[in-house]
Amino acid sequence: MANMWNKTTASKILAPIFPYEDDGNSTALGNVSREHFSLVETAIFGTWISISMVFAIFGNLMVIAVVIRHRGMRTRTNMFLVNLAIADFLVGVLLAPFSLTTLIAKDWIFGDILCFINSFCNAAFLITSIQTLMYISIHKYLSITRPLTQITKCKILIMIGAAWGWAIVCASLTTFILSTSKYKEGTMQCGPKYPTYSTKSLTFHFIIQASNIFLPLFLMIGCYVRMFAEIKQHMQRLDENTALDRNMIFSQQRRVTITLLIVLSCFVLCWIPYCVYSNYAAFVRDKSTIPRYANAIVSKVILYS
């Protein structure tokens, strides 16, 4: 009886870790288990999550409060920034505490229902942030290259709704329909199982990657390159037709260039590591080769930043 219980318990524990379909060529992983973080590792990750949580909650709350309280701050661009702040604030309030508790407890202790909710919120809030950054670049592109085009607040609300709508669709498909959300040992949150090496699983993985990483990245690069070209031409016209100091014109152009580079650099630094990790986890057949720290670093240290 005890032997049967041990086998059943072991299968339940290991299933969320490597729940991929065996195609006959995959490495058997029934006896593989991931180690928990050491005390030092727990302290390092716990400190980082705590700091990120405090900044996410109070920093974004201040952004939201300032825009709401001051009518002059309620610009079209700030509507996007408030939406971005809301998504990041929810990460700090609804996700980071669970991650910190799970890290300390070395297990998911909140039950299956909250596990599904945690997995859904992880996907929804992070995808919303990505989509919002993409729509910000589109908005700025239209504002600079087509200044006569009227971008009303209603249109911006539609863009914000589209960001949340697509995030909810992707999170729902990942969490409730095409996958099963489980706590994977050695991580700090619930999430979908590793993609199986099958046509359906890899196709869905490609759609998520293309729509939430590659498409926003290419659109942002295209919009910002076009904006920089337009701004540069405008500065040249000012230099030729006005008496403004050349150093002032160069300084304005330099500030714009630095701002655009910072936005793109932050996006690339935050999401490319996750893209590499998720693609490796999707295509590798032997899931035991996934680096031990990969999930913690890309999902907590980088994305929570």
Side-chain angles (χ1 to χ4, degrees):
M1 185 72 177
N3 188 40
M4 182 181 298
W5 184 89
N6 289 335
K7 289 182 179 179
T8 304
T9 303
S11 64
K12 288 182 178 179
I13 293 175
L14 291 173
I17 306 175
F18 307 113
Y20 69 105
E21 297 170 355
D22 188 359
D23 58 4
N25 298 318
S26 303
T27 303
L29 298 171
N31 58 353
V32 177
S33 179
R34 290 180 180 271
E35 297 179 357
H36 289 293
F37 297 113
S38 67
L39 181 61
V40 174
E41 295 164 347
T42 300
I44 293 174
F45 283 122
T47 301
W48 186 270
I49 293 175
S50 300
I51 294 174
S52 299
M53 179 171 59
V54 170
F55 278 99
I57 293 174
F58 293 102
N60 289 294
L61 194 60
M62 289 178 61
V63 171
I64 297 170
V66 167
V67 174
I68 291 177
R69 291 188 60 182
H70 299 280
R71 184 177 296 273
M73 296 292 293
R74 301 174 193 174
T75 63
R76 292 171 175 82
T77 300
N78 285 346
M79 291 174 65
F80 286 112
L81 296 181
V82 168
N83 186 61
L84 191 62
I86 290 173
D88 293 340
F89 172 78
L90 292 176
V91 169
V93 171
L94 300 180
L95 298 182
F98 287 95
S99 297
L100 184 60
T101 304
T102 303
L103 173 67
I104 297 173
K106 303 183 185 299
D107 194 8
W108 181 263
I109 61 175
F110 302 103
D112 292 338
I113 295 179
L114 283 179
C115 182
F116 276 92
I117 294 175
N118 181 259
S119 176
F120 175 85
C121 290
N122 263 297
F125 298 157
L126 293 177
I127 291 175
T128 298
S129 296
I130 299 174
Q131 295 290 317
T132 301
L133 288 173
M134 180 185 71
Y135 284 117
I136 288 176
S137 65
I138 294 174
H139 165 64
K140 300 305 293 182
Y141 166 78
L142 293 175
S143 299
I144 292 176
T145 61
R146 302 179 184 179
L148 298 180
T149 301
Q150 183 67 20
I151 305 176
T152 63
K153 291 185 177 181
C154 180
K155 292 179 181 179
I156 292 177
L157 289 175
I158 292 175
M159 292 182 187
I160 293 174
W164 281 99
W166 181 245
I168 291 173
V169 168
C170 292
S172 299
L173 289 174
T174 302
T175 306
F176 302 111
I177 299 177
L178 296 178
S179 184
T180 302
S181 293
K182 296 288 184 181
Y183 166 70
K184 293 188 282 288
E185 188 178 354
T187 65
M188 305 175 206
Q189 77 283 322
C190 283
K193 65 181 183 180
Y194 290 122
T196 60
Y197 203 79
S198 63
T199 302
K200 183 181 81 169
S201 180
L202 294 180
T203 299
F204 176 68
H205 173 77
F206 173 78
I207 292 174
I208 294 296
Q209 292 277 306
S211 61
N212 295 310
I213 295 181
F214 296 115
L215 178 61
L217 177 60
F218 293 148
L219 276 176
M220 289 173 67
I221 291 175
C223 288
Y224 289 139
V225 168
R226 185 67 185 87
M227 278 190 285
F228 175 72
E230 184 69 23
I231 292 171
K232 186 176 181 180
Q233 293 176 3
H234 178 69
M235 293 299 179
Q236 289 176 347
R237 290 193 295 268
L238 286 178
D239 187 28
E240 296 171 356
N241 301 312
T242 68
L244 290 176
D245 183 65
R246 296 177 64 90
N247 291 330
M248 182 183 298
I249 296 175
F250 176 77
S251 178
Q252 292 174 345
Q253 186 175 356
R254 184 172 176 271
R255 285 198 299 269
V256 171
T257 303
I258 291 175
T259 301
L260 300 183
L261 287 177
I262 289 175
V263 173
L264 281 176
S265 298
C266 289
F267 184 89
V268 171
L269 290 175
C270 289
W271 287 103
I272 294 303
Y274 176 79
C275 180
V276 173
Y277 160 74
S278 60
N279 278 289
Y280 180 80
F283 289 98
V284 67
R285 290 174 182 260
D286 184 358
K287 307 302 181 183
S288 66
T289 62
I290 298 174
R292 180 165 171 258
Y293 297 100
N295 184 279
I297 291 175
V298 300
S299 64
K300 295 298 174 284
V301 176
I302 298 178
L303 295 186
Y304 273 23
S305 301

